[in-house]
Amino acid sequence: MAKLPISAEKIIDKFGPKKHYTPMGGFEGSHEPDKLVKTHCCFCAMQCGIQLKVKDNKIAGFEPWMEFPFNEGRLCPKGVQRYLQNNHPDRLLQPYQRVEGKGFEPITWDNAMERTISEIRRIQTQYGNDSFAMLSGVSLTNEKSYMVGKFARLALKTKNLDYNGRLCMVSAGAGNKKAFGLDRISNSWADLKHAEVIIIAGSNVSECFPTLTHYIWQARDNGAKLIVVDPRVTPIARTADLHLPVKPGRDSALFGAILKQLVDNDWIDHEFIEKHTNGFEAAAEAVKDYDLDWAEKTTGIEKEKILQAATWWGKAKTSFLLHARGIEHHTKGVDNVLSCINIVLATGRIGKPYCGYGTITGQGNGQGGREHGHKCDQLPGNRDISNPEHRKYIAEVWGVEEKEIPGMGLSAYEIIEAIHRGEIKGLISICFNPIVSLPNNNFVREAFEKLEYYVAIDFFLNETARHADVILPGSLHEEEEGTVTTAEGRVVKINQAIDPPGEARKDSDILIEMARRLGAGDKFNFENSEAVFNELRVASKGGTADYYGISYEKIEKNMGVFWPCPSEDHPGTPRLWEEKKSAFPDGKARFNPVAYKEPAEVVDKDFPVILTTGRVVSQYLSGTQTRRIGKLVDQYPEPLLEIHPSLAIQYNIQNRDLITVRTRRGEATFPAQIVETIRPDTVFIPYHWGGSHSANQLTVGDLDPISKIPEFKVCACQLIPTGKKAAPAEERSAYQSS
Amino acid sequence: MTVTKYDQQMGFFIDMQRCIGCHACEMACAECETNGQESMIHIHYVERAVSTQTTVQVCMHCEDPACANVCPADAITKDEFGVVHTAETSRCIGCSNCVLACPFGVPQKQEKAELMMKCNMCYDRTSAGKKPMCATVCPSGALFFGTREEIELKRPDSVPVDTFIFGNQEVKTKVKIMMPKGSNYLKVH
Ligand code: SF4
Ligand code: SF4
Ligand code: SF4
């Protein structure tokens, strides 16, 4: 039973998170490094170029990489401090096993592997192959993602494999596939600079993708109008020409109303609609009742502002629409995305210079990780696991019979539900921290406690790995070569700077060894990452995400190559759809009618306030890495409850009063931060923390029926002032990271 | 002898409007060889209760630096490139005169070290032809290091301002603040 063997406090004492700082004067070798390794930041999908200073197999610091074309040296605080994850005192340096009452004790690699293999065999013999599931992460390189997909299907022989991109951009991916037949942003960031109008919907760009801010400002220097749709006045919304403070969960009503304005005022591109799209009439019909009064009532945005946005968008010649989790983390995330695509298609502003549309991928390899087959419904090259032809092609590449590849399995949250129901008994995870990152996480924790065997591959003991029976120390980003695909579709090279320390091993070596012991070693004869990439190229050939023409050499030479790149002499594709041909057989893009639907949980008299969640600039995802870096923790040491003064007055709340937030799933207490930069009917909590500070105890586990993404961004809550005040932030920070 | 490649054409421009309060500049400044993990640039919220606007506080490298003028130990010097250097450790007596004299409130006394420390425009980097750490990393373009022509070309709606008026006192600085077109000076109350 995967319960904690000792108290969480005792585990934290030994494995952290502890704050790690650079010593005064820097690490040894920071002034005279042995070498500078050109690579990328390990965090968000901007994947900023950076050079790591290496001394004696340790990272001693960084130096900006001025030549890398996307960021030209620019970095956010996470990028500046990312080198501190190396040489961290919390780093897992040997395999451990859980010993009831004692905690985690070191074991040998051989024993750890043997135990894991025999547990996999026992569980699969007793309950069937699919009773052992795997959960993966998109901080992994393309090579590792590809290997995980192959490993789960051919070595573990389970259909139940999914990944943490399921919590990120799958709604955008599903929407893109429905509209274009292909899932990638349409243009490189370079096109953004010259767009006349930019809409950013549900993306706190300045805190989640800070280096992209520079591109938006460049566009504005060129005269672009910026429209930001967000319930909060984020730093990017603060300076926008138009800020639309949408009520959480009402985005498709807004975009539907804009589409209606475009149609009514004839601000549409008839020729483009006629020649290059299908389904316009149905999409227009679906919004025919969405007049401005209705839109104002539904979205909470003044109708003049909605009309202004429609007018700017309608009359522009060039435009860019970007969205992120704010509109995707919903039970109708796919609808929200499609409602955005509809206004892009209606105005024909795609596939030409300075016109574009796309999602801003969140996780480091959120783009590449959603193409190479560790999704439950997908095979490499963005192939469909249920499509017989796609299956046959991959079976040939893998040298197996088609029937040996399992079919579609459960998605991430559904895997947790199946564990809770007792249908899935064993789990292997790699770089995924669902106890912090999934919604309704008290339920998630209960599920983990029911597992008969859980093995975690990770480099730090995160909140979920604390439940593991066996922990296998894997590798950091800088410890293995590979590629990742940035949010703009550029495949870049991660260079190995150092070897894994202690007994830690490269993730791919762990997977290969496990595959060998499971009897599938012949399918994993990879000498190095490049060999994996070369197989991935072939596996992706002819798929929509075609990497065949990309090689390590070509990436290094060009500082990245945009997919699709179908042949060796192909330069890559920074701008999609220039031929005005979508990936569908008829070459046309598709409108999808979107009728507005309410969120899964709306406010009522018992739970009268809307709760929404998001990020802060100094933290990343579930904080496994960033909650261990001293200055990043100090910058924003604890999750705060952002609340508007008018709501605060109703509850008699003052700054730093401790407020219990209760939802139908749980409750947690946070210090209040009273700010006018949020809608009066909504409160906000950042989600990067675990334990008692976890915002995801409160969020709802309802899923989008198509993308299976949970509705993180809206639920109903009660606010209960505790009558106590929080201690000053510094004093509390010692307890923050639990 | 080390040959300095200090390029006089290059200047430091600050556009507060663009600042997203990310603190990357502070963290990068602390990485500077001479700063010993202390940052010489500081980011503050103007008034978090009403806005997410942040401000950048960094040495303005005044033409006629008050901090140097009032220093009884002659620890602060301005060089031929217009860079006002941090207090020389062997001379600084930690009296805090500079802290009180600076109209921009820049020099800070490091209590632990009993020393004044402030930005020297990343002299180790700028004199070797590199850009200052903070301006290099700033993800939003709020901090920019380059030529006046470059910035004027890139930001047609703003102008660099280097004249500040504090009551009757006029201060000219090497570091420039980007202001809306038409501004010539900044009046500080
Ligand atoms: S976190 Fe993202 S924006 Fe920040 S430095 Fe890393 S890749 Fe760049
Ligand atoms: S110029 Fe250099 S020393 Fe001055 S604030 Fe910027 S990084 Fe720090
Ligand atoms: S790095 Fe730039 S945007 Fe970030 S706080 Fe500093 S000045 Fe502001």
Side-chain angles (χ1 to χ4, degrees):
Chain A
M1 290 290 151
K3 289 207 164 120
L4 296 189
I6 46 173
S7 70
E9 290 68 31
K10 284 192 184 146
I11 299 176
I12 292 167
D13 259 359
K14 180 155 181 205
F15 294 100
K18 291 190 268 301
K19 295 201 278 181
H20 186 40
Y21 294 90
T22 312
M24 285 269 280
F27 286 110
E28 210 190 317
S30 63
H31 304 326
E32 308 96 29
D34 299 336
K35 56 179 176 180
L36 276 177
V37 178
K38 290 192 170 69
T39 184
H40 293 267
C41 174
C42 55
F43 300 123
C44 85
M46 295 300 116
Q47 287 294 298
C48 299
I50 188 172
Q51 305 187 84
L52 296 177
K53 293 176 174 174
V54 179
K55 180 82 175 177
D56 299 334
N57 201 37
K58 289 188 177 123
I59 310 289
F62 81 98
E63 182 62 32
W65 179 9
M66 307 301 288
E67 295 77 31
F68 187 71
F70 164 68
N71 63 311
E72 298 169 314
R74 287 181 286 273
L75 294 166
C76 82
K78 298 183 287 291
V80 168
Q81 296 287 293
R82 61 89 78 206
Y83 74 89
L84 273 158
Q85 65 166 343
N86 176 247
N87 207 11
H88 196 290
D90 292 347
R91 180 68 196 275
L92 295 169
L93 297 173
Q94 59 204 336
Y96 286 95
Q97 68 177 345
R98 163 189 188 282
V99 180
E100 187 55 44
K102 289 194 172 161
F104 293 100
E105 298 194 337
I107 51 168
T108 64
W109 268 104
D110 198 46
N111 286 345
M113 283 285 179
E114 260 322 294
R115 214 185 129 187
T116 300
I117 303 306
S118 72
E119 284 292 319
I120 293 172
R121 291 234 162 84
R122 178 186 69 76
I123 288 173
Q124 290 190 325
T125 311
Q126 205 173 336
Y127 309 103
N129 283 353
D130 297 331
S131 65
F132 210 100
M134 182 160 188
L135 288 172
S136 180
V138 289
S139 51
L140 300 179
T141 56
N142 291 323
E143 290 77 357
K144 293 185 200 177
S145 306
Y146 175 80
M147 279 180 85
V148 166
K150 190 171 176 184
F151 171 84
R153 272 75 181 238
L154 299 191
L156 200 54
K157 299 185 192 305
T158 183
K159 66 176 185 184
N160 289 323
L161 160 72
D162 205 38
Y163 80 136
N164 66 3
R166 189 68 61 193
L167 321 178
C168 193
M169 69 305 280
V170 282
S171 290
N176 284 338
K177 280 188 148 178
K178 275 170 111 43
F180 304 111
L182 182 150
D183 169 22
R184 202 206 91 181
I185 194 168
S186 65
N187 305 52
S188 71
W189 299 130
D191 260 352
L192 189 58
K193 290 190 213 167
H194 301 280
E196 268 178 51
V197 177
I198 299 172
I199 293 186
I200 298 176
S203 179
N204 180 0
V205 173
S206 34
E207 296 200 68
C208 306
F209 317 102
T211 48
L212 188 59
T213 315
H214 188 64
Y215 281 72
I216 291 161
W217 272 108
Q218 281 174 290
R220 306 186 71 191
D221 289 335
N222 291 330
K225 290 255 189 296
L226 176 67
I227 304 169
V228 176
V229 183
D230 201 305
R232 297 161 71 216
V233 190
T234 59
I236 196 79
R238 170 174 64 76
T239 61
D241 298 284
L242 189 60
H243 172 224
L244 307 178
V246 67
K247 198 167 164 184
R250 277 72 182 176
D251 309 272
S252 60
L254 169 66
F255 289 102
I258 291 180
L259 179 62
K260 178 175 161 59
Q261 289 304 315
L262 297 179
V263 176
D264 288 358
N265 292 289
D266 199 23
W267 292 322
I268 55 178
D269 185 337
H270 294 280
E271 195 190 330
F272 181 87
I273 293 172
E274 176 71 20
K275 280 198 188 145
H276 307 296
T277 67
N278 280 330
F280 171 70
E281 285 73 25
E285 174 70 18
V287 300
K288 70 173 189 328
D289 298 330
Y290 293 7
D291 60 29
L292 291 170
D293 289 322
W294 173 85
E296 175 173 294
K297 216 166 101 242
T298 312
T299 63
I301 306 167
E302 293 156 40
K303 59 183 168 198
E304 293 75 20
K305 288 188 177 175
I306 301 175
L307 180 61
Q308 180 69 81
T311 313
W312 280 348
W313 184 269
K315 293 188 170 172
K317 296 213 165 43
T318 59
S319 59
F320 222 109
L321 193 153
L322 289 168
H323 53 70
R325 307 307 82 73
I327 74 157
E328 296 159 21
H329 276 164
H330 292 276
T331 46
K332 51 192 164 54
V334 178
D335 277 0
N336 287 344
V337 166
L338 291 169
S339 69
C340 286
I341 295 176
N342 285 347
I343 74 163
V344 172
L345 291 178
T347 44
R349 287 200 293 267
I350 193 155
K352 45 188 184 193
Y354 320 138
C355 289
Y357 155 78
T359 183
I360 318 178
T361 308
Q363 300 191 60
N365 195 23
Q367 181 66 48
R370 70 188 201 249
E371 296 158 3
H372 300 299
H374 57 163
K375 282 169 86 171
C376 62
D377 50 354
Q378 184 208 57
L379 290 170
N382 221 335
R383 288 184 160 86
D384 184 353
I385 203 162
S386 313
N387 179 318
E389 273 172 43
H390 292 186
R391 294 173 59 83
K392 197 163 149 272
Y393 179 79
I394 295 298
E396 262 165 40
V397 177
W398 286 352
V400 296
E401 296 277 317
E402 190 221 302
K403 62 177 187 311
E404 285 181 61
I405 301 178
M408 185 163 103
L410 297 172
S411 68
Y413 194 75
E414 291 171 322
I415 287 179
I416 305 292
E417 289 174 325
I419 296 172
H420 206 277
R421 286 195 303 270
E423 288 163 18
I424 289 177
K425 306 281 189 186
L427 180 75
I428 175 168
S429 75
I430 178 165
C431 292
F432 191 179
N433 189 11
I435 286 186
V436 177
S437 59
L438 276 172
N440 194 8
N441 64 23
N442 290 323
F443 173 84
V444 178
R445 190 179 317 103
E446 275 171 30
F448 271 83
E449 288 174 355
K450 292 183 176 181
L451 281 168
E452 288 186 13
Y453 184 74
Y454 169 37
V455 51
I457 306 173
D458 228 315
F459 38 76
F460 292 126
L461 193 76
N462 65 36
E463 285 76 1
T464 310
R466 287 177 198 161
H467 289 261
D469 293 285
V470 166
I471 299 146
L472 305 175
S475 47
L476 287 171
H477 195 257
E478 52 266 39
E479 291 166 2
E480 189 165 1
E481 188 182 34
T483 60
V484 306
T485 309
T486 74
E488 57 176 344
R490 187 200 297 258
V491 183
V492 298
K493 182 83 190 302
I494 304 305
N495 285 319
Q496 184 177 352
I498 51 167
D499 292 315
E503 289 180 39
R505 290 186 183 172
K506 291 181 183 174
D507 293 332
S508 56
D509 288 346
I510 299 173
L511 291 172
I512 290 172
E513 173 69 8
M514 226 185 271
R516 197 181 58 74
R517 291 181 186 235
L518 284 167
D522 59 321
K523 302 287 180 298
F524 291 84
N525 274 328
F526 299 113
E527 236 166 65
N528 51 27
S529 304
E530 191 164 4
V532 182
F533 188 72
N534 286 335
E535 186 177 303
L536 177 159
R537 290 169 58 193
V538 176
S540 74
K541 191 174 183 207
T544 48
D546 193 336
Y547 279 47
Y548 183 66
I550 306 176
S551 66
Y552 274 14
E553 204 192 331
K554 196 159 156 184
I555 298 174
E556 300 254 22
K557 204 167 113 227
N558 301 319
M559 291 200 250
V561 180
F562 289 83
W563 72 261
C565 180
S567 62
E568 269 154 40
D569 56 2
H570 191 287
T573 316
R575 190 184 295 135
L576 296 176
W577 323 126
E578 284 196 279
E579 321 277 282
K580 303 279 177 296
K581 285 205 167 57
S582 78
F584 291 117
D586 64 1
K588 293 189 172 182
R590 292 180 190 166
F591 281 94
N592 288 270
V594 178
Y596 168 72
K597 290 195 272 314
E598 296 242 285
E601 194 175 79
V602 291
V603 294
D604 54 25
K605 70 175 190 335
D606 294 333
F607 294 90
V609 177
I610 304 173
L611 167 66
T612 193
T613 63
R615 304 200 209 172
V616 297
V617 66
S618 56
Q619 293 293 322
Y620 180 62
L621 305 186
S622 75
T624 298
Q625 288 154 286
T626 45
R627 277 188 283 121
R628 289 181 157 83
I629 298 179
K631 284 184 181 169
L632 296 180
V633 176
D634 296 344
Q635 180 171 338
Y636 197 105
E638 58 189 342
L640 300 173
L641 174 80
E642 281 184 22
I643 175 170
H644 191 276
S646 65
L647 190 56
I649 285 173
Q650 276 180 42
Y651 287 87
N652 196 18
I653 293 172
Q654 318 259 320
N655 255 332
R656 291 202 70 76
D657 281 0
L658 283 167
I659 309 300
T660 298
V661 183
R662 183 183 293 153
T663 68
R664 292 190 171 86
R665 294 149 296 277
E667 61 176 49
T669 302
F670 305 91
Q673 185 180 31
I674 303 178
V675 289
E676 286 176 24
T677 51
I678 187 165
R679 285 182 59 86
D681 54 6
T682 302
V683 294
F684 169 88
I685 309 168
Y687 68 79
H688 311 281
W689 288 264
S692 59
H693 298 298
S694 171
N696 276 329
Q697 297 171 76
L698 310 169
T699 48
V700 28
D702 292 45
L703 306 179
D704 182 289
I706 299 165
S707 67
K708 306 286 167 75
I709 210 168
E711 186 145 81
F712 291 99
K713 284 294 184 279
V714 53
C715 67
C717 73
Q718 298 170 350
L719 301 177
I720 308 154
T722 60
K724 295 194 192 108
K725 246 194 163 56
E730 307 78 60
E731 281 173 45
R732 285 174 59 93
S733 65
Y735 308 98
Q736 285 321 306
S737 359
S738 61
Chain B
M1 200 187 101
T2 45
V3 189
T4 53
K5 289 198 287 180
Y6 203 99
D7 185 346
Q8 285 276 43
Q9 299 303 309
M10 304 286 267
F12 194 174
F13 303 85
I14 301 178
D15 188 341
M16 309 269 185
Q17 200 188 191
R18 293 182 192 223
C19 177
I20 53 174
C22 72
H23 296 260
C25 53
E26 288 182 354
M27 292 181 196
C29 176
E31 298 293 318
C32 228
E33 293 205 5
T34 41
N35 293 355
Q37 288 297 307
E38 289 291 344
S39 176
M40 302 298 131
I41 186 165
H42 304 280
I43 300 298
H44 304 284
Y45 278 108
V46 177
E47 200 184 349
R48 182 61 190 97
V50 294
S51 170
T52 44
Q53 169 83 63
T54 37
T55 57
V56 184
Q57 188 190 42
V58 67
C59 175
M60 301 297 290
H61 298 275
C62 305
E63 253 176 30
D64 186 22
C67 59
N69 294 345
V70 300
C71 176
D74 278 345
I76 309 172
T77 50
K78 191 181 121 183
D79 70 15
E80 59 193 297
F81 310 116
V83 175
V84 181
H85 286 266
T86 187
E88 202 182 304
T89 29
S90 58
R91 284 176 169 258
C92 176
I93 52 171
C95 70
S96 296
N97 271 1
C98 54
V99 178
L100 301 169
C102 171
F104 298 101
V106 167
Q108 295 197 349
K109 193 168 135 193
Q110 298 295 327
E111 294 298 338
K112 273 179 279 171
E114 283 279 301
L115 271 181
M116 184 279 266
M117 281 176 83
K118 67 168 224 24
C119 154
N120 62 4
M121 230 182 219
C122 273
Y123 197 73
D124 54 339
R125 301 179 72 83
T126 40
S127 62
K130 294 185 192 167
K131 297 186 176 197
M133 263 300 198
C134 58
T136 303
V137 302
C138 177
S140 69
L143 306 176
F144 176 82
F145 191 79
T147 65
R148 196 180 178 111
E149 290 71 50
E150 271 180 281
I151 194 116
E152 279 174 347
L153 204 69
K154 282 185 179 175
R155 305 193 185 171
D157 300 332
S158 336
V159 285
V161 167
D162 63 1
T163 307
F164 297 81
I165 302 185
F166 297 90
N168 302 329
Q169 200 191 357
E170 186 180 298
V171 178
K172 271 189 162 300
T173 60
K174 183 175 170 71
V175 173
K176 291 156 192 74
I177 303 277
M178 300 304 289
M179 293 293 293
K181 208 139 199 175
S183 328
N184 305 314
Y185 58 84
L186 236 159
K187 214 167 174 166
V188 186
H189 296 284

